[in-house]
Amino acid sequence: MRLGLVVNPVAGLGGRVGLKGSDGEAVQARALAMGARPRASERAALALTELRSRLPGDAPPILTAGGPMGADAVRAAGLRPEIVYKPRRPTTPADTVAAAKTLAPLVDLLVFAGGDGTARDLLDAVGSSVPVLGVPTGVKMHSAVFGVSPRLAAEAVAVMAARRARLIDAEVMDLDEEAVREGRVTARLHGHLRVPDVPVRIQQRKTGSSAPDPAAINGIAAEVASRLPGPDLLVLGPGGTTRAIASALGADVPVMGVNALRAGTAVATDLPADRLTELVRSGPSWIAVTPIGGQGFLLGRGNQQISPEVLRAAGPDRLLIVATEAKLAELGGRPLLVDTGDDGLDRELAGHRPVITGRGRSTMYPIH
Amino acid sequence: MRTAPVSVSPADARIAAKPPLRRFHQASWDEPLLFELSSPGERGVLVPGPQVPLDDSLPAGLRRQDPPGLPELSQLHVLRHYLRLSQENLGVDLNIDVGQGTCTMKYSPKINDQFVRDPGVAELHPLQDERTVQGVLEIIYRLERMLAEISGMDRVSLQPGAGSAAIYTNVAMIRAYFAACGELEQRDEVITTIFSHPSNAACAKTAGFKVITLYPDADGYPDLEALKAAVGPRTAALLITNPEDTGIFNPRIEEFVRVVHEAGGLACYDQANANGILGITRARDAGFDLCHFNLHKTFSTPHACGGPAAGACGVSEALAPYLPRPTVEFDGGSYWLNDDRPASVGKIRPFYGVIPNLVRAYAWIMSLGAEGLREVAEIAVLNNNYLMKKVLEIRGVSAPYAEGRRRIEQVRYSWAELAEDTGVHSEDIGVRAADFGTHYWTSHHPFVVPEPMTLEPTESYSRADLDEYAAILAEVAREAYEDAEVVRTAPHNSTVHRVRPDTLDSPETWAVTWRAYRRKILGE
């Protein structure tokens, strides 16, 4: 199987600094100024390393673009790059489109590292002319074209290489980042890409969340309140459920950011990873997160501010998972997913954990 | 409405074959409410006035100031009203009633109703001296012994007034047991599974326990690893249904019981779905400490819409002291009610059980015998798997969880694929089926399976019945793909009264009585 790779070097820049996306040069510059570190190439290399260990014999060269758009990652994984496209510096979305167009007729599978914005660029460039698969490195990943984590993306490639995966059309979704920064959440279907059908390893599309049932939310909020001692800090991840919990506890917080409450009052809103780490290290803290509806991501999608450092500082026992029963049902039995960027922590979090679904009610649910 | 042509093969040309899809049309009476039919002064029965002056003999608080606000109608008008309403209904004696979700009723033999109407049963009074009710006490005693044999349990109580009342009684006994051991404060959690009878979670919560729910594992079976993650020193009990409401039998049920016992908890078997296991498996043999039966569903008595159904609780010797009081005892000569049970959880309902249903269940078991009960289970399972094969041949249907495996006595199907393809939902299909003289309804809580349809054929229905039912579903599915509007705008030949669900969401707007309707809806 001839494998192609294109990396969007700036994908995911906005995540840990709380910018909810990385689209647009101004946002990227701001993210870099806030101390963001490009991770796309690193995560692509992680996937390739995993893939190398799974492919029998000597790995063939990987067709790719030069420098941070692929060749760096291929070399980091100990594989040989065959460079078919040389990008300008700094790279732009036009480079992603041009590289993908060059690669498409030459490969059997085009792996790309990026987020929803990159998936849209791929859609423009190659449409359904070649199978693709995303290594998740973005902030927003609502599309159904990504592996659950770099490691599982590599597994999906290996399954396809063994000719054991059929191809399906998967949704390319994207949020309007400007609208999100203004507090509105709107996702739109942009089209379909052909991806190998490897359930569990490929994340599902995020469904439009329906209004949470107020009785269920109040029950969850009461249960969360009963779990933590009065003066402890409560960190709430983004989402309608957690926002409704804040409101039931008496605080009004923004819909997308990570917020912190103490005794029913918001002490900080829309926290980036570094400030959050400081805050959590300063005293006993609990972290309440809710999975993304229909998709099941608990950590690592849209809430990268809750970084491995934050989770370790709070302690894994103080991670409260909350979801209405309806939201769990929407997952159709698929597990909850974590991709914190720290493999060891992901493994620690995996297994069965209680999800708070109401007052005195929980569901034991698997996390992968 | 389109009807498939009647095909008559030459061999039986003399007898017209039953049409696979019958030409059905239901009566539609546009019948007003009784209150709207009321005519001042009209009377059905002229009730004689009191023979003695009541003024002094009744306390003032019990005396009405105003006459009751009842509708005024003649006997004929009342009779006609209810007959008309009955013609706009699809009752258990009228259609192939396999689509009641997990609540399917088997046929209730009419002769058992004759027994119930016998003056020896119908004219008993619960306050009669027990020496004068030896016959009915004997029926209760013997029925309890039969259910003990069927479940393997040591003692049974027939006092609960329904299946959920029996489950609540079991939870109350679990609470009393741990209170007596001094462990109640520590053991405040009950574990159940998402596809167990929802009454398990509800009754445990009502009794003050916290509830932990388990999801199925990747193969669709109850998840043993999840159970192991959930049990601990706080575990009071496992409340589990088997087969689950998906019809899937838990192949590791003994291990579930062992894990809970090792954690110091009790194992309680919900046998609402016992119809496919009668005479085949027993609760006690799998190690359970408690179990319950619905006498409706499994033992043929009427369901009665939350009214007087009947439930049975079975317990091991260790739990027997906590059974509701009184218990029915036999001293070798006569039967008696034992109220001297200090550890008992008390009374679950006034007097003792729903006697007419206990008589029906007793008659039903006696008419079948032990071998007959096993045959009931075998036919119920055979019928279900026959219907499943036919239903799964229909485009757009699947049977999620443990796919490709057989089910016990019911199946929770999903129309998700058809809904995705056509925009027609499961509820539309159930309503459109009414145009062919049958139906199904959506008793599928919790809504984990998308676009659900739960069918349980029981042993009562014939192969021809199941063929007709499957043919109706196949026809409606065909319509959904070819002319979805016909399905979405159903019913066309039957009288389904659609309720406005939005008015049922809040106590501010729901109106289940005429008085509430006038106040909340008419604004009077």
Side-chain angles (χ1 to χ4, degrees):
Chain A
M1 187 174 75
R2 288 167 306 161
L3 203 60
L5 173 73
V6 58
V7 176
N8 172 8
V10 296
L13 267 187
R16 293 212 184 165
V17 288
L19 290 180
K20 291 126 196 141
S22 322
D23 294 357
E25 279 176 40
V27 171
Q28 289 159 19
R30 200 172 138 208
L32 288 167
M34 287 169 82
R37 195 167 53 85
R39 293 163 64 239
S41 191
E42 193 184 301
R43 284 169 74 88
L46 190 66
L48 291 173
T49 309
E50 178 75 26
L51 182 63
R52 205 183 105 202
S53 71
R54 288 177 174 275
L55 291 179
D58 267 349
I62 309 270
L63 279 67
T64 187
M69 282 197 64
D72 293 354
V74 174
R75 286 195 193 96
L79 291 162
R80 277 178 299 131
E82 189 180 334
I83 296 166
V84 299
Y85 176 80
K86 285 200 164 65
R88 288 162 294 178
R89 301 291 175 89
T91 63
T92 68
D95 284 300
T96 311
V97 171
K101 274 189 173 155
T102 313
L103 284 161
L106 307 174
V107 297
D108 299 307
L109 176 70
L110 179 55
V111 175
F112 72 91
D116 281 332
T118 321
R120 282 176 62 190
D121 290 340
L122 264 284
L123 184 67
D124 292 343
V126 305
S128 56
S129 66
V130 63
V132 305
L133 182 66
V135 174
T137 71
V139 179
K140 317 155 289 164
M141 276 162 285
H142 297 84
S143 306
V145 300
F146 295 102
V148 168
S149 66
R151 206 156 44 82
L152 291 173
E155 266 188 54
V157 174
V159 170
M160 192 185 163
R163 296 179 198 284
R164 283 189 289 115
R166 69 189 178 120
L167 295 172
I168 53 162
D169 285 321
E171 295 92 336
V172 176
M173 314 276 293
D174 199 3
L175 287 186
D176 179 344
E177 289 188 8
E178 278 305 316
V180 169
R181 285 188 199 98
E182 289 161 17
R184 286 177 289 123
V185 185
T186 50
R188 198 158 81 77
L189 175 67
H190 289 274
H192 294 83
L193 285 166
R194 302 284 286 166
V195 301
D197 182 20
V198 189
V200 181
R201 296 186 183 84
I202 309 268
Q203 70 182 42
Q204 306 290 313
R205 165 176 60 90
K206 182 190 190 313
T207 57
S209 50
S210 45
D213 166 20
I217 294 289
N218 285 335
I220 293 171
E223 183 64 24
V224 168
S226 78
R227 297 275 183 102
L228 73 160
D232 284 13
L233 189 76
L234 175 63
V235 175
L236 291 170
T241 312
T242 39
R243 189 189 192 202
I245 289 173
S247 152
L249 296 175
D252 187 26
V253 298
V255 65
M256 284 299 277
V258 173
N259 307 295
L261 269 61
R262 201 187 296 279
T265 309
V267 294
T269 55
D270 207 2
L271 284 155
D274 51 354
R275 277 195 53 210
L276 185 57
T277 314
E278 256 170 60
L279 201 56
V280 168
R281 280 184 181 150
S282 70
S285 305
W286 300 72
I287 298 169
V289 288
T290 189
I292 299 178
Q295 188 195 54
F297 258 106
L298 196 60
L299 292 166
R301 295 292 182 277
N303 60 6
Q304 283 95 334
Q305 302 96 308
I306 303 174
S307 65
E309 294 75 35
V310 171
L311 291 162
R312 287 193 191 281
D317 291 345
R318 293 217 174 117
L319 177 67
L320 303 175
I321 307 167
V322 299
T324 58
E325 288 181 31
K327 195 176 200 179
L328 283 181
E330 269 177 32
L331 295 174
R334 289 190 308 278
L336 296 178
L337 305 167
V338 291
D339 178 23
T340 60
D342 175 337
D343 234 22
L345 184 61
D346 289 356
R347 278 178 224 269
E348 237 174 275
L349 291 170
H352 286 92
R353 279 180 173 263
V355 177
I356 297 169
T357 56
R359 185 78 173 109
R361 296 211 59 165
S362 59
T363 292
M364 203 48 80
Y365 207 86
I367 298 178
H368 281 200
Chain B
M1 187 200 104
R2 281 179 303 270
T3 306
V6 178
S7 67
V8 180
S9 69
D12 50 26
R14 284 162 295 137
I15 310 162
K18 192 173 88 170
L21 295 171
R22 57 184 79 234
R23 295 191 185 86
F24 169 78
H25 203 296
Q26 193 163 38
S28 175
W29 287 102
D30 203 14
E31 183 69 3
L33 298 174
L34 271 182
F35 283 95
E36 293 165 336
L37 291 168
S38 177
S39 167
E42 202 170 303
R43 288 290 179 275
V45 178
L46 296 172
V47 182
Q51 303 300 303
V52 289
L54 290 178
D55 289 353
D56 301 326
S57 52
L58 273 178
L62 289 181
R63 268 178 266 142
R64 269 185 186 282
Q65 301 308 309
D66 305 305
L70 297 172
E72 298 172 79
L73 292 105
S74 76
Q75 221 170 50
L76 173 61
H77 284 114
V78 173
L79 180 67
R80 208 165 63 189
H81 175 75
Y82 285 109
L83 270 175
R84 286 173 173 177
L85 291 186
S86 77
Q87 291 184 353
E88 298 189 5
N89 206 346
L90 281 174
V92 66
D93 290 340
L94 195 61
N95 83 115
I96 306 165
D97 213 8
V98 305
Q100 296 279 10
T102 57
C103 305
T104 287
M105 299 304 305
K106 60 179 64 182
Y107 178 64
S108 193
K110 297 304 167 218
I111 190 168
N112 297 347
D113 281 286
Q114 288 183 32
F115 299 147
V116 169
R117 274 186 234 115
D118 184 283
V121 175
E123 291 177 10
L124 290 177
H125 192 280
L127 290 178
Q128 265 175 260
D129 187 291
E130 62 192 35
R131 280 168 302 179
T132 68
V133 292
Q134 285 293 302
V136 79
L137 288 180
E138 183 180 351
I139 288 176
I140 294 169
Y141 184 85
R142 292 177 61 127
L143 182 57
E144 285 181 354
R145 292 316 308 156
M146 289 174 186
L147 293 172
E149 180 65 27
I150 291 167
S151 61
M153 290 295 173
D154 295 310
R155 286 295 305 256
V156 169
S157 170
L158 291 168
Q159 196 181 109
S164 292
I167 298 169
Y168 182 80
T169 307
N170 279 343
V171 178
M173 285 192 277
I174 291 165
R175 197 173 52 186
Y177 173 85
F178 284 119
C181 305
E183 291 182 24
L184 187 58
E185 240 169 82
Q186 170 201 332
R187 296 193 180 272
D188 64 348
E189 291 179 352
V190 160
I191 302 168
T192 186
T193 67
I194 190 78
F195 289 125
S196 278
H197 190 190
S199 280
N200 290 304
C203 290
K205 200 73 175 45
T206 307
F209 286 100
K210 293 181 172 145
V211 177
I212 302 174
T213 307
L214 312 180
Y215 260 64
D217 64 17
D219 297 323
Y221 292 103
D223 192 337
L224 187 60
E225 295 311 310
L227 176 71
K228 287 177 181 167
V231 294
R234 293 179 65 180
T235 305
L238 170 73
L239 265 62
I240 195 167
T241 309
N242 190 33
E244 299 201 295
D245 283 353
T246 49
I248 294 168
F249 190 87
N250 182 346
R252 295 175 298 228
I253 193 68
E254 286 176 304
E255 227 174 318
F256 269 66
V257 172
R258 185 181 56 75
V259 166
V260 171
H261 280 166
E262 281 173 7
L266 293 170
C268 180
Y269 195 156
D270 179 311
Q271 301 205 111
N273 297 340
N275 205 40
I277 58 172
L278 291 176
I280 297 170
T281 66
R282 304 201 308 170
R284 188 72 185 131
D285 296 348
F288 282 93
D289 306 291
L290 310 93
C291 73
H292 100 283
F293 289 107
N294 296 347
L295 296 189
H296 62 276
K297 276 191 87 168
T298 312
F299 297 98
S300 92
T301 81
H303 197 287
C305 291
C313 294
V315 294
S316 66
E317 202 57 59
L319 273 298
Y322 308 102
L323 281 171
R325 67 179 169 80
T327 49
V328 180
E329 311 283 353
F330 180 55
D331 60 15
S334 57
Y335 298 89
W336 56 288
L337 293 167
N338 181 4
D339 232 337
D340 182 23
R341 298 183 60 85
S344 165
V345 295
K347 285 176 98 58
I348 293 302
R349 54 168 289 126
F351 307 114
Y352 195 95
V354 179
I355 300 298
N357 281 343
L358 302 185
V359 170
R360 288 187 184 96
Y362 179 73
W364 188 79
I365 295 174
M366 288 298 284
S367 69
L368 286 161
E371 282 174 26
L373 286 184
R374 189 185 168 99
E375 198 180 350
V376 160
E378 288 168 349
I379 297 175
V381 174
L382 195 61
N383 267 356
N384 183 47
N385 284 279
Y386 176 79
L387 183 64
M388 177 161 90
K389 170 117 185 9
K390 299 212 79 158
V391 170
L392 290 181
E393 284 166 6
I394 299 170
R395 184 175 174 193
V397 193
S398 62
Y401 297 98
E403 280 180 50
R405 305 300 297 269
R406 297 205 185 281
R407 300 292 192 266
I408 305 293
E409 88 305 355
Q410 63 186 33
V411 184
R412 183 154 299 168
Y413 300 95
S414 171
W415 289 103
E417 189 188 321
L418 180 132
E420 180 100 344
D421 291 346
T422 66
V424 168
H425 296 283
S426 181
E427 196 186 339
D428 303 325
I429 297 171
V431 172
R432 175 60 174 157
D435 282 337
F436 298 91
T438 188
H439 74 116
Y440 67 80
W441 69 299
T442 47
S443 160
H444 313 286
H445 182 85
F447 281 80
V448 174
V449 171
E451 304 294 340
M453 166 177 75
T454 308
L455 305 180
E456 177 180 2
T458 76
E459 73 283 5
S460 301
Y461 295 92
S462 70
R463 185 171 155 177
D465 290 335
L466 301 181
D467 286 345
E468 182 177 347
Y469 197 87
I472 291 166
L473 293 180
E475 172 64 7
V476 177
R478 187 193 64 76
E479 289 178 336
Y481 277 100
E482 291 173 15
D483 187 3
E485 237 5 69
V486 172
V487 185
R488 276 199 288 260
T489 53
H492 306 288
N493 297 334
S494 68
T495 46
V496 174
H497 298 277
R498 300 242 187 194
V499 293
R500 278 176 52 198
D502 53 324
T503 64
L504 298 174
D505 286 343
S506 155
E508 306 298 317
T509 50
W510 69 48
V512 292
T513 64
W514 171 246
R515 217 189 302 179
Y517 178 76
R518 283 173 58 182
R519 193 175 72 246
K520 296 177 183 175
I521 306 296
L522 301 181
E524 287 176 14

